[in-house]
Amino acid sequence: MDFNGINGAKDRKVISATREGEATRVVRARRGFAAAPETLWDAITNPDRLGLWFSDVSGRLTEGGRFSITGNADGDILTCTPHRDIVLTWEMQDSTSWLSLHLQPAADETILTLDHETPLMGAAQKHWDTYGPGATGVGWDWAMVGLDRHLSAPEQPLIDAGMAWAQSAAGKDRLRDWANAWGQAHIANGTAKAKAMDAAKSTADFYTGS
């Protein structure tokens, strides 16, 4: 499976926010997929399909249920409106963040908007200061590439091929490009250029093993 030339997010944005009186940052990744909302919804909520392109996911994948992603996050599904919206908690390494996905039909595609909201306190603040939005954003860029390829070949396992691509020279170049793009989004949110691009470099080094 060829991953070259496939985009992650088309639009990237960092938003300053608050939740229950505490400062947060929202990392927003947005792009369109050549699929009907029903098809895209099934690709991102059906555990059998998620296991082909994203990761093994278990649990009760309905509103009020709890899920677990092998080797990654656990969480609660807070709201779920089929073919339109999902909001869930993202619990990882003693930190809770919030993930929302919104599907919007367009002329010949479905627009997926992904918001990952992260608290800014304690270890989470230190992580943000070191890596900025790219630590979260690049991971979702990578997932969007996998989702794109899955929609074009829905029966084909992609995770091992995606990992191999990410370790190739072309894949590492793309990961660096995404990290730099998130650095630019960080700057647009008001962060000094030098600080934002230092964080982007730390993100790129992490993902590429530099």
Side-chain angles (χ1 to χ4, degrees):
M1 173 65 71
D2 184 10
F3 289 84
N4 293 317
I6 306 302
N7 292 322
K10 180 179 179 180
D11 301 311
R12 299 173 181 84
K13 191 171 184 180
V14 179
I15 303 165
S16 300
T18 59
R19 182 178 286 264
E20 297 180 355
E22 300 292 342
T24 64
R25 291 292 183 274
V26 178
V27 172
R28 174 171 292 172
R30 185 173 182 268
R31 65 156 286 182
F33 292 90
E38 297 82 4
T39 301
L40 184 58
W41 179 266
D42 191 58
I44 64 176
T45 61
N46 183 330
D48 291 334
R49 296 185 69 173
L50 286 166
L52 293 172
W53 68 269
F54 182 64
S55 186
D56 290 328
V57 181
S58 60
R60 184 165 64 88
L61 306 185
T62 57
E63 187 169 312
R66 186 163 179 82
F67 69 91
S68 180
I69 302 171
T70 300
N72 201 304
D74 304 301
D76 296 314
I77 300 174
L78 304 178
T79 64
C80 180
T81 305
H83 312 152
R84 195 179 74 186
D85 294 289
I86 311 170
V87 180
L88 49 86
T89 61
W90 192 267
E91 301 165 19
M92 188 175 180
Q93 297 179 347
D94 299 323
S95 177
T96 297
S97 53
W98 303 270
L99 184 69
S100 67
L101 299 100
H102 176 70
L103 281 64
Q104 179 181 358
D108 57 355
E109 62 182 4
T110 299
I111 307 299
L112 173 63
T113 301
L114 182 152
D115 285 353
H116 198 149
E117 184 177 3
T118 304
L120 295 182
M121 62 182 75
Q125 177 70 67
K126 184 177 180 179
H127 189 270
W128 181 270
D129 289 342
T130 302
Y131 297 103
T136 300
V138 169
W140 290 121
D141 275 306
W142 192 353
M144 286 182 170
V145 168
L147 177 55
D148 182 287
R149 293 293 77 197
H150 170 72
L151 290 167
S152 69
E155 304 299 325
Q156 185 171 343
L158 297 175
I159 293 174
D160 289 345
M163 291 293 292
W165 170 79
Q167 293 168 8
S168 70
K172 288 181 178 181
D173 285 345
R174 182 62 62 85
L175 291 165
R176 292 187 189 97
D177 289 344
W178 291 338
N180 287 332
W182 283 110
Q184 294 299 322
H186 203 183
I187 293 168
N189 182 242
T191 299
K193 180 178 180 179
K195 181 177 180 180
M197 298 316 292
D198 280 348
K201 183 179 184 304
S202 295
T203 292
D205 288 348
F206 172 81
Y207 275 100
T208 62
S210 299

